[in-house]
Every structure is written in structure tokens, then in C-alpha cells.
Amino acid sequence: MNTAISAPPERSTPRRAAGVPGRWRNLSTLVGVTVVESGEGSLTTTLFPAIAKTLGLGNTELGLLSTLGRLIGVPFGPFWVWYANRTSRRQAIFVSTLLSGALAAASGFADNFLILLLLQTLQAGAVIGLTPITNAVIADSFDDKARGRAVGMLYGISAILSSVIGPIIGLLSIWESGWRWGFWGVGALLVLTGFLVLVLFREPQVGAADYGAAVQRVEYVRPRFADSVKLMRVPTFSIMMASRLLSGHLLIGVFGVQFLVTERGFDNAVAALVALPFGIGYFLGTVGGGFVVSAIDRRAGGNGRVVFLQAAQVLFAVVAFFATQFDVGAIGFYIALWGLMGLAQGLNPGVNRPILMSVMAPELRAQGFVIYLTIFEVIGWAAFTFVAGVLADAFGLQAVFFWILVVLMLVNAGVLGLLYRFYPRDRARVDALIAARVQEESR
């Protein structure tokens, strides 16, 4: 099968909708896995003040934990996608979730920072493959018009459920060893979730939603490494990679609770209350944003997605300025603004994922999301968290938040403006490629 993408036609061929069997059950299963795994991920940041008290740690150690937890994705992200290609995505999700649960449970026994760092880094490497595999499954299960809603539901429902878990996790800080019980509990849930994947998940064929009834006839050729590298030649893909490096809003999930404890004087349990409004806002942003993107597609075409994505960056920067640069003693002030930051951040997945899905050939989407989420996001996140941790100890988190959450996000919005020139053409090329494959196999 030829994976080359031909020159764009005058107008993009509309993607054909296809009802892929089991797609809603798969989406529900992936939501469950994502909730449990995000709960483990937020456990360290939410309970870090309690962990820090037990093990004698500071902001630098928190930055190091987050940095290595992301850097491990560079080798492990491609590994899990390779493993899924050699076996099945169902098996890859099961094995990674099971391994992640074992390592999370072991983290509860850590008696010094080095052991905790090692176990949490390996745990992050075990779980990192879920995100690119999940996004590829959604692309194969839902047609282009429905992907924004599907992605919004995945991340939105996961966020709202995780936000309920956040304050509960925060209550564990009341007990000296509460954070240990948190790791043990989440580890057990991860193991249970892995076995539920074996029972409930049914793997869709690659390109099922794009090719429709012709999917059985379109030849599937396993992608090569060289094919993945060629994605960088797609202008839209490269711009989105650069934008990922500038996505400073991800920092709020790492240092948000720590900021409220160390800079604003709230205790750990009270500061953790912002997780619920943030999750509610994120839910409204992802689910609502997915439906808004679908409406924009009908009225404004491809560039409507670009306008929406730019607006999300600007909105986050404005809200973050008021949320982090003014010292107000009432936790209610921060609860409200954390909710608005969650809303602004939640607008992103329902539009940036469909943008990427629409400019990659079906067989390259998992590889593309590995590059996007486990390499470029990792580089940006690692740089932000490590540098922020060091600078926060020297200058304070408020100053760090101003430059990364406010200024850098405005720069990001400007960079995304380049998509106006390239995105419609790149999307049309993939539409033409899919239409040509279906026509060729239908002869």
C-alpha cells in the first residue's frame, strides 16, 4: 500500500462517516483506564507536601520527579506503540496497566527520595503508552466529524471523575502515612482495571472509520520508522509539535497545589480543594469544546479549528494572570479561577487531537501521537518542570507562573497562527489519499 500523500485537490473530499462496532464500549473502557491512571499521576503532586514532610523534600525534588516521569516517555512511548503493532493494542494496554499498578503499589513502601524517584519514573514509563494508543483507537473508531466530541468525552469525563478523586486524595494528608495508602490503593485499582480491559475492550481495525465498508479490502502495511519521521515534513504536524513545546499551561497540574501551600499559606488539604473545580472546568471545556468544534466545522471550515485553538491559549493566559499574580486570602477566589483555568485548558484536546488526526494517514496516527505526546510534550514538560522547580526555590512560584503560564501561552497563540496557511492544504491531502485508497480497492 502506498503511504505517500498526493498533492491536494481543489476541494477536500468529505470524510465518510462509519459506525464502528463497539466504539462506545471501547471509549467507556478507555475512560475508566484513564481515570485510574490519572489518579495515580495526580497522587504525587496532590500529596507532595505530605510526602515532602515525611522524606524532607522541596520544590526541586518535585520538579525532578515530574521531569524524569516525563523524560522516560521518550524511549518507552515508542516501545509501547511498537509492542502494540507486534501484538495488539488490547494486549499493550493490559500489560502496561498491570505493570503500572505493581510499580504504584511499590511506591507506597519507599522510605527515601531515591527509591520513590526510581519507582515513580518506572511507573510513568509503564503507563506512557496509553495516551498515543488511545488517540489512535479513537481515530479508528470515529469519523472526522465526530472525533472532537469523542476526544472531548474521553478527556472530559476522565477529568471530572479525577477531580472528585483529587480532594479525597488530599484528605489522606491528614495521616502521616496517608500518602502511602494512596499509592497502595491506586496500584490495586490499576491491576483491576487491566483485567477489565481484557474483558471489555474490542480492538477496531486501523482506519475503520475512514475507509468504512472498504476497510476489509484496503491493504494494511505496518508502518516503518522512516514513515514516522516523514510526518515532520507535514507543515501542520511540525507547527503542532512546536506548539506543544510552548504549552506552559501543563505546569499548573504539577505545581498548582504546591503554589497554594507555599506561596499563599493554605494547608495541604484545603489547597487540594482546587482539584474539583479544575476538573469540572476541564470537563466543561473538553466536552463542550468538542461540540463547539463540530459546530465550527459546519460553519467555518478547517480554519475555524485554528481560531478556536488560538482562543484557548489566550483565555488560559488571561485567567492564569489573575489566578497566580494576586494574593487573596480566601480559598474561594482560587477555587473559582482554578475552575476557569481548567475550562481554558480543557478546550485543547477536543481540537488539537482532531487537527492532528486529520493530517496523518490512518496507519501513522499512533506513531504521530507518540511523537506529539511522548517526545515533544515530554521535552516541553521536562524543561518546564525542572527549570520551574529550581527557579521556584530561588525566586518563588509566582514569578515562574507569570512567565510560563501567562507570557509563554501568548507566544504559543501567535505560533499557532501559522496554521491558517498550511492546515487546509494538509487536511485536503489526507482526504485525497483516503478517497484514492477506497476507490482503488473498490474496483
Side-chain angles (χ1 to χ4, degrees), residues 345-417:
Q345 186 171 333
L347 296 174
N348 286 278
V351 63
N352 59 25
R353 268 68 164 178
I355 285 176
L356 282 170
M357 291 172 185
S358 65
V359 299
M360 296 186 287
E363 68 275 7
L364 295 178
R365 285 172 184 149
Q367 284 74 10
F369 279 111
V370 163
I371 296 172
Y372 181 60
L373 297 171
T374 70
I375 296 180
F376 276 82
E377 181 180 291
V378 162
I379 293 172
W381 188 301
F384 290 145
T385 52
F386 181 73
V387 172
V390 174
L391 293 180
D393 282 336
F395 303 105
L397 277 171
Q398 180 170 312
V400 172
F401 278 178
F402 174 76
W403 288 104
I404 296 180
L405 300 184
V406 180
V407 175
L408 195 64
M409 290 302 294
L410 295 174
V411 173
N412 192 12
V415 170
L416 288 169

Side-chain angles (χ1 to χ4, degrees), residues 27-340:
L27 183 61
S28 300
T29 304
L30 292 173
V31 166
V33 178
T34 303
V35 167
V36 178
E37 291 186 339
S38 64
E40 199 286 331
S42 65
L43 193 150
T44 303
T45 54
T46 301
L47 289 179
F48 184 77
I51 298 173
K53 184 178 180 180
T54 301
L55 302 182
L57 312 178
N59 286 326
T60 300
E61 285 79 12
L62 176 57
L64 189 58
L65 269 169
S66 300
T67 299
L68 291 184
R70 290 286 169 172
L71 285 176
I72 197 70
V74 175
F76 274 88
F79 165 77
W80 285 115
V81 171
W82 171 85
Y83 181 76
N85 283 334
R86 291 291 178 238
T87 56
S88 69
R89 290 177 288 195
R90 176 170 171 263
Q91 181 171 324
I93 295 172
F94 167 70
V95 173
S96 68
T97 304
L98 208 65
L99 183 58
S100 174
L103 290 166
S107 298
F109 295 98
D111 58 1
N112 61 65
F113 176 68
L114 182 60
I115 293 176
L116 180 67
L117 180 65
L118 175 63
L119 291 171
Q120 282 293 284
T121 300
L122 291 175
Q123 191 274 336
V127 78
I128 194 66
L130 175 68
T131 304
I133 293 173
T134 296
N135 280 276
V137 168
I138 289 177
D140 292 334
S141 303
F142 296 87
D143 67 287
D144 188 60
K145 293 180 180 179
R147 284 171 187 155
R149 297 194 298 272
V151 171
M153 291 177 69
L154 170 69
Y155 288 98
I157 295 173
S158 300
I160 194 67
L161 294 177
S162 298
S163 69
V164 174
I165 297 173
I168 297 174
I169 290 175
L171 291 175
L172 293 173
S173 64
I174 297 175
W175 296 279
E176 182 178 353
S177 60
W179 62 272
R180 298 185 186 275
W181 284 97
F183 278 120
W184 296 332
V186 172
L189 284 175
L190 279 166
V191 172
L192 175 62
T193 303
F195 284 101
L196 288 177
V197 169
L198 289 182
V199 176
L200 300 175
F201 186 79
R202 295 294 179 269
E203 186 158 354
Q205 290 182 271
V206 174
D210 296 287
Y211 301 130
V215 68
Q216 300 288 349
R217 300 189 300 273
V218 175
E219 181 187 0
Y220 172 69
V221 176
R222 212 178 291 276
R224 301 168 301 171
F225 175 76
D227 296 323
S228 303
V229 173
K230 288 178 183 177
L231 285 172
M232 295 302 300
R233 299 179 187 175
V234 179
T236 294
F237 188 86
S238 296
I239 294 168
M240 294 295 287
M241 297 307 107
S243 173
R244 206 61 182 173
L245 293 177
L246 301 173
S247 295
H249 58 72
L250 301 173
L251 196 67
I252 194 68
V254 178
F255 288 98
V257 173
Q258 180 76 350
F259 167 78
L260 293 174
V261 172
T262 60
E263 302 268 334
R264 298 296 182 254
F266 298 104
D267 64 45
N268 196 166
V270 172
L273 292 175
V274 298
L276 179 58
F278 187 90
I280 293 172
Y282 193 86
F283 169 77
L284 295 175
T286 50
V287 176
F291 283 92
V292 171
V293 169
S294 295
I296 288 175
D297 285 343
R298 292 193 297 270
R299 292 179 172 86
N303 274 338
R305 294 182 177 183
V306 182
V307 174
F308 188 84
L309 187 57
Q310 279 187 300
Q313 316 313 304
V314 175
L315 177 61
F316 184 90
V318 172
V319 176
F321 175 74
F322 290 101
T324 64
Q325 301 305 305
F326 297 91
D327 189 351
V328 179
I331 190 63
F333 173 82
Y334 297 103
I335 284 175
L337 288 178
W338 249 252
L340 290 175

